[in-house]
Amino acid sequence: MRASDSRVVARRLPLLAFVLATLLGVGCSSAPEVTVEITSTAETNGGRPFYAVIRAVEQAIYITDSYEGIAGMIFANPRDPSILRAEVVYPGVPSEWTVEQPEGLSVGVYFMFTDPGDGWKIIRSAPLPTTIEVELGVNDVSSAE
């Protein structure tokens, strides 16, 4: 290799590195995410595990969502496409889940307590925060930020 050839290669290395990084996904922007952080006590849900459901939903639909309807969505095959995530909550163990923010929709978080109180679900509307913090009581949401 001649000296002039090595100078050409050296000048092109930054461009080649950029192209390679782009192809590998480094530096590419990803969809915005929202993290749901859940805290509970050992007494939550009588100490028994239960499901939490994170769902993309319109506010008007959320208002009419029933406990039975959400439970049916979790276990439907195939699962309802509005469900972003469904996970088991273990009382007294903090949980944290991240999902993609749904474009143009709110995020509903539903708690499938064995004996749900009136506050078994919450909603956050756009613009969505990057983190939704939820504290659970015995059978309902005690606070959410």
Side-chain angles (χ1 to χ4, degrees):
M1 179 181 279
R2 293 179 295 170
S4 63
D5 290 339
S6 62
R7 283 191 299 261
V8 170
V9 170
R11 283 196 317 258
R12 291 187 179 163
L13 277 177
L15 177 61
L16 291 171
F18 173 77
V19 170
L20 182 60
T22 302
L23 291 173
L24 293 175
V26 176
C28 292
S29 63
S30 60
E33 297 178 329
V34 61
T35 299
V36 178
E37 297 176 353
I38 301 168
T39 56
S40 61
T41 68
E43 291 79 33
T44 300
N45 200 48
R48 295 181 304 270
F50 59 98
Y51 274 93
V53 177
I54 304 170
R55 180 172 181 236
V57 64
E58 293 179 16
Q59 186 120 14
I61 301 295
Y62 168 85
I63 292 169
T64 62
D65 278 338
S66 70
Y67 183 92
E68 294 77 16
I70 297 299
M73 287 180 191
I74 299 169
F75 302 110
N77 190 7
R79 182 182 284 177
D80 188 285
S82 69
I83 295 181
L84 303 173
R85 193 153 186 176
E87 297 285 346
V88 175
V89 174
Y90 295 93
V93 179
S95 302
E96 183 177 298
W97 303 303
T98 301
V99 296
E100 252 184 48
Q101 289 187 11
E103 194 171 319
L105 293 172
S106 299
V107 169
V109 185
Y110 306 79
F111 299 96
M112 310 311 292
F113 299 107
T114 303
D115 184 24
D118 290 337
W120 63 278
K121 61 183 181 174
I122 64 161
I123 190 168
R124 291 295 174 265
S125 301
L128 291 169
T130 56
T131 303
I132 299 171
E133 297 175 12
V134 183
E135 264 185 60
L136 301 177
V138 173
N139 65 353
D140 58 4
V141 175
S142 60
S143 72
E145 294 180 24

